[in-house]
Amino acid sequence: MVKKPRGVADILPGETERWQYLEQVIRELTRVYGYREIRTPIFEFTELFQRGVGEDTDIVMKEMYSFRDRRGRSLTLRPEGTAGVVRAFIENGLHKWPQPVKLYYVGPMFRYDRPQTGRYRQFHQFGAEVFGTAEPVADAEVICLLMDFYARVGLRGLQLEINSVGCVSCRQALVAALREYFRGKTSGLCSHCLERVERNPLRILDCKEEGCRELLKEAPVPLDFLCGGCQSHFAAVQKELAACGVSFLVNGHLVRGLDYYTGTAFEVLVPGIGAQSAIGGGGRYDKLVETCGGPPTPGVGFAVGLERTLLALAAQGVELPGAAAPEVFVAFAGERAAGRVPAILRWLRAAGIATERDYSGRGLKGQLKQANKRAARWVVIVGEAELDRGNVSVRAMETGEQVEVPEVALVSWLKERLGQ
Ligand code: AMP
């Protein structure tokens, strides 16, 4: 037997209902916030991520699933959603739509990392992006949407951390200070960060290696290098968040693992799910559209890890809807009654009533046992004597009460009692 590769999962019935529930919350919430869905390809040209996410990031250096197609072109399974959305935004001329353009996506992402609880090679993200406005209200809105998502699904005790990593101009001074600092500490750095000192010292800030993390404690932080514009933007984001009633913590050490962030950066942490406690994050990326070949267009967005959201919900004991029991089970006794069952099943199903039947030729007693096992609320019993009267029997499984109902009135009779 061929087994599945490491780090991927089968999502089986029993669990798919939980996924559908998250997706339902996502659809409802994005609707009220006015975000529209975008679906982009699972694979893109590798160059998109090299340019967008950044050559020096862990994602591009170590974690991409890249392969050559039959014509020798390098393609990559998307490791994150924003780069593809930005590409689609440019390629389809969405910059000519009335701005801002507010989009969301849900789908699988792929990263080659060491699998552990909460970290997989194929995982799923819900993400949202706002293009075409650099206003701090947009930063605050995406954060509100993110926090509302967690609240709606029932998560508690989350920690929202925010920071500003500065724009291109304040970044120059920061990069110079970081380079200066790390040049004197090269013996403590991992091999990747050694290269990053000259090429892109910002990326050392999110290295996960123990030695590098130790050095980071004393390293210059982005907040100390913000220009006037970035300072007032960051202050306005905080004011707006407070006005929305969203509590947060400013963490000067917070940086995100992707090159494209400018200004606001944020992350949401949840205690109790182990080492992989980040369940979502995002920030502003005002240069990304240009970097990918589009007209200057500011953007801000987030991505939520759905597996980690489910892990957190389980850790907090939040019950999500499970498999729904059938509302009705259709049983019968006798040859002539059996002939009526297909029509009755079709009427009920066409009316939106979840209806089951027996498939193995059991007698009436066996069928009723089945209905009980499946936890059906009602059993329709098609019997020959009742048929002669134009009726069927209906039994409420909870009380055992049974009445005869005219066959032609069955659907409306049940709908009324099922509250549909
Ligand atoms: P990132 O943009 O890398 O911060 O990813 C956003 C969110 O996706 C994280 O906060 C995680 O919840 C989730 N995530 C990232 N990588 C993985 C992974 N390998 N497995 C599961 N979830 C992940």
Side-chain angles (χ1 to χ4, degrees), residues 111 118-120 123 125 256 258 278-280 303 305 308:
R111 294 185 196 173
R119 197 206 280 153
Y120 312 101
F123 59 100
Q125 288 184 339
R256 309 254 317 131
L258 302 94
I279 59 168
R308 287 188 201 171

Side-chain angles (χ1 to χ4, degrees), residues 303-364:
V304 173
L306 294 181
E307 282 82 359
R308 287 188 201 171
T309 302
L310 287 169
L311 277 174
L313 285 165
Q316 296 192 357
V318 180
E319 293 267 347
L320 296 187
E327 290 160 315
V328 175
F329 193 100
V330 179
F332 65 92
E335 193 86 354
R336 200 150 54 84
R340 288 306 294 158
V341 169
I344 293 176
L345 271 171
R346 292 204 76 191
W347 295 339
L348 294 175
R349 288 173 173 165
I353 300 172
T355 313
E356 269 302 343
R357 61 163 298 156
D358 169 59
Y359 298 94
S360 16
R362 291 185 175 88
L364 182 60

Side-chain angles (χ1 to χ4, degrees), residues 7 59 63 79-82 105 109-126 150 208 255-258 260-261 266-269 273 276-282 302-309 311:
I59 292 181
E63 297 173 5
E80 57 94 58
T82 305
Y105 60 86
M109 307 293 160
F110 306 84
R111 294 185 196 173
Y112 190 91
D113 202 347
R114 203 167 43 77
Q116 56 175 262
T117 306
R119 197 206 280 153
Y120 312 101
R121 289 181 173 168
Q122 174 175 334
F123 59 100
H124 298 75
Q125 288 184 339
F126 152 45
Y150 296 128
K208 294 168 201 112
V255 284
R256 309 254 317 131
L258 302 94
Y260 53 64
Y261 288 109
F266 53 89
E267 208 147 74
V268 181
L269 307 168
I273 60 165
Q276 307 304 317
S277 63
I279 59 168
F302 67 72
V304 173
L306 294 181
E307 282 82 359
R308 287 188 201 171
T309 302
L311 277 174

Side-chain angles (χ1 to χ4, degrees), residues 391-402:
N391 292 347
V392 291
S393 288
V394 187
R395 181 183 293 183
M397 291 303 271
E398 208 179 340
T399 59
E401 228 169 285
Q402 189 166 316

